[in-house]
Amino acid sequence: MDDFTMQKTKPYSGSTSTVTPLLTRPKGIKSLSPPKAFDSFRSGPDHAFAPALGENGRQYNAKAAAWNTANTPLVRRLKGRHLQMIAIGGSIGTGLFIGSGAALATGGPASLLISFIVIGSILFCTVQALGEMAVTFPVAGSFSAFATRFIDPAWGFAIGWNYAMQWAITMPLEVMAASITLEYWNLPIPSWASITVFLLFIISINLFSVRIYGEAEYVFSIMKVTAVIGFIILGVVINCGGTQDSGYIGGQYWANPGAFHNGFKGFCNILVTAAFSFSGTELVGLAAAETQNPSKALPTAIKQVFWRIALFYVVSIAIVGLLVPYDNPDLINSNNISAKASPFIIAIQSAGISGLDSVMNAVVMIAVLSVANSSMYGATRTLQALAEQGQAPRILAYVDRKGRPLVAIGSSAAFGLLAYLYTSSVQGPAFTWLLAISGLSSIFTWTSICWAHIQFRKAWLLQGNQLSDLVYQSPIGSIGSWVGFIALIAILVAQFWVAISPVGSTATTPGAQASNFFAAYLAMPVVLLFYVCYKVWYRTRWVTVKDVDLMTGRNEFETAGERRQWKEDKAEWPRWKVVYKTLC
């Protein structure tokens, strides 16, 4: 099968008279003849665009929006190994290496470990649901497009902008964190200079082709994975008394000062921290539109990525909880993102191992830069897909001849300038409120994925399809999506409780209480505002199961002879291979 089948522009089955011949030269971009050195920045040829909004601007055409995302001008150059490392690269970062310190101080080692196991289990349900939909419809925008198609265009608009804002704001936050890691070595480098270098580095990677982005993320992720594995081995040695300055530790910190801190509220408080640490795993679905062979690469990436991340997170968090007591004075609090207070670095320093703390700090810096890189990718691809669906200014849909969404990249790069707030007098409040905007975004995204999958499964069966017709079938089906959906709603309720009455809060005035609430729950009113405004303006309706579009952008591998041959080959596999392929 031609790997680029989905890339070919197909006739729009709606009103053909409304198809614009060249989406990639929208209003505001003139057609010029640039020098050959800049020829690759010109718009890709022969890409049609079906306007998703009516002439009066108040009627939404969901069928045209679906057609645009299915026939995106993004190019398919990512391989399976890129997909696996992109998901890992977007996850192993500040949340694990630095944020786990604040979580440990808030809830204790047992709450921290349980929260990561709970979120990891929810993520398993979510990623399986996303994998099934993304393989069936490897379209631009992924979960935001699925929300528009399977739930409600207004919800797709809200969740898409929520996700784009999450990553657009996370990028400067990660650049700030990378700059702060340099302070560990007391280098005579001004903050503005390091921020500038890091921003230029991240923007440059994203200005290359998506293949270069994939290779960069592949290298970053291998370094982080190697470091985490090395820390796990070292942590076991330290815990067993294998270093010069530390005796046998065992589980003494679970007994004194204790396994739990701040009770059930402490546990609820760090659930969002755990969710933030896992955020980015869903990027594997967003990259489906740029994958060479989604039928083969996506299922493997979906299965392998979860097991790898679950192993790295759960085991490394368990080790950290054994090596660092939650009352360690160096652990970070909510207003401090210093790498000096990373529990990973504290564990190494407490063992009296010289030099390794600097190595770990370098790993932290690489990790946050990797997340910043993934953040820019997530923001640009979501903005480009929103524009293709008529839910963002059309100019953001511009894609050049190398498949780069240049205008979306420029817009995301502009958000990166927020990193310079670190050099201002308002760095503390700025960091708090930027983090508040993106704090719950991943939970909203995962909730939307689970609900979209439930709708998709209902429509799939109602419209006469068999589950065996799916290229990739989630092993836990819609039951897993229901479990994930209900669990995520419960987390939102728990977070509402701790937002009203946060752990350790001494605020007594209404103003201080309101500030604490919005610092923890700002993402909720933002999403609801986006949804209600779009719903009122465009008068969209919830998509009924019988009206769900299951044809536009569907993976053609389902009807190809290769699909039949693949089934025949699978029937001849030995049992060990069947088990391995199911899990990995």
Side-chain angles (χ1 to χ4, degrees), residues 230-546:
F231 174 81
I232 291 173
I233 296 173
L234 177 64
V236 172
V237 173
I238 294 174
N239 186 264
C240 294
T243 58
Q244 183 177 357
D245 295 349
S246 65
Y248 177 75
I249 298 174
Q252 69 181 47
Y253 295 141
W254 281 55
N256 183 25
F260 295 93
H261 185 46
N262 294 314
F264 183 67
K265 181 180 286 188
F267 168 73
C268 293
N269 197 81
I270 62 179
L271 280 172
V272 173
T273 301
F276 177 77
S277 300
F278 277 107
S279 64
T281 309
E282 70 283 341
L283 283 172
V284 69
L286 195 64
E290 297 175 270
T291 303
Q292 286 185 2
N293 190 346
S295 300
K296 179 180 179 181
L298 272 174
T300 302
I302 289 293
K303 289 180 285 188
Q304 291 186 353
V305 162
F306 169 78
W307 291 113
R308 292 176 183 180
I309 292 180
L311 174 65
F312 299 147
Y313 270 94
V314 172
V315 176
S316 62
I317 285 298
I319 294 295
V320 163
L322 291 172
L323 299 180
V324 183
Y326 71 72
D327 60 354
N328 187 300
D330 293 328
L331 288 177
I332 65 174
N333 54 54
S334 59
N335 296 316
N336 186 1
I337 55 173
S338 173
K340 294 181 180 181
S342 165
F344 290 78
I345 293 178
I346 292 174
I348 294 174
Q349 289 177 328
S350 299
I353 304 175
S354 61
L356 273 184
D357 55 338
S358 291
V359 174
M360 198 67 205
N361 187 67
V363 172
V364 171
M365 184 177 69
I366 292 171
V368 296
L369 287 176
S370 172
V371 175
N373 190 35
S374 295
S375 299
M376 192 164 187
Y377 176 84
T380 56
R381 269 48 180 188
T382 304
L383 286 173
Q384 192 271 341
L386 285 170
E388 287 191 330
Q389 296 175 88
Q391 296 171 332
R394 184 176 163 188
I395 195 172
L396 289 171
Y398 182 88
V399 176
D400 69 6
R401 295 190 175 189
K402 286 193 173 182
R404 298 170 295 194
L406 291 180
V407 180
I409 290 175
S411 301
S412 300
F415 274 91
L417 298 177
L418 292 172
Y420 288 104
L421 288 173
Y422 179 67
T423 63
S424 69
S425 59
V426 296
Q427 57 171 279
F431 181 85
T432 298
W433 289 105
L434 287 176
L435 189 61
I437 294 175
S438 60
L440 293 175
S441 295
S442 292
I443 295 180
F444 287 120
T445 299
W446 298 347
T447 305
S448 180
I449 291 171
C450 290
W451 184 247
H453 182 247
I454 292 170
Q455 289 286 93
F456 164 71
R457 273 291 185 100
K458 289 181 180 178
W460 186 263
L461 296 174
L462 182 65
Q463 296 183 23
N465 299 287
Q466 301 294 322
L467 293 180
S468 59
D469 294 333
L470 293 167
V471 178
Y472 174 69
Q473 183 178 342
S474 168
I476 52 177
S478 56
I479 295 178
S481 295
W482 273 112
V483 171
F485 179 79
I486 294 172
L488 289 165
I489 294 297
I491 290 175
L492 288 175
V493 173
Q495 181 64 11
F496 184 82
W497 173 41
V498 297
I500 294 176
S501 178
V503 173
S505 174
T506 57
T508 56
T509 64
Q513 290 176 342
S515 178
N516 288 337
F517 173 80
F518 284 109
Y521 221 69
L522 182 59
M524 173 65 87
V526 170
V527 170
L528 291 179
L529 179 64
F530 274 58
Y531 174 73
V532 172
C533 290
Y534 197 89
K535 187 80 172 176
V536 172
W537 182 257
Y538 290 104
R539 301 184 181 92
T540 61
R541 297 181 179 180
W542 284 82
V543 179
T544 59
V545 174
K546 63 181 179 62

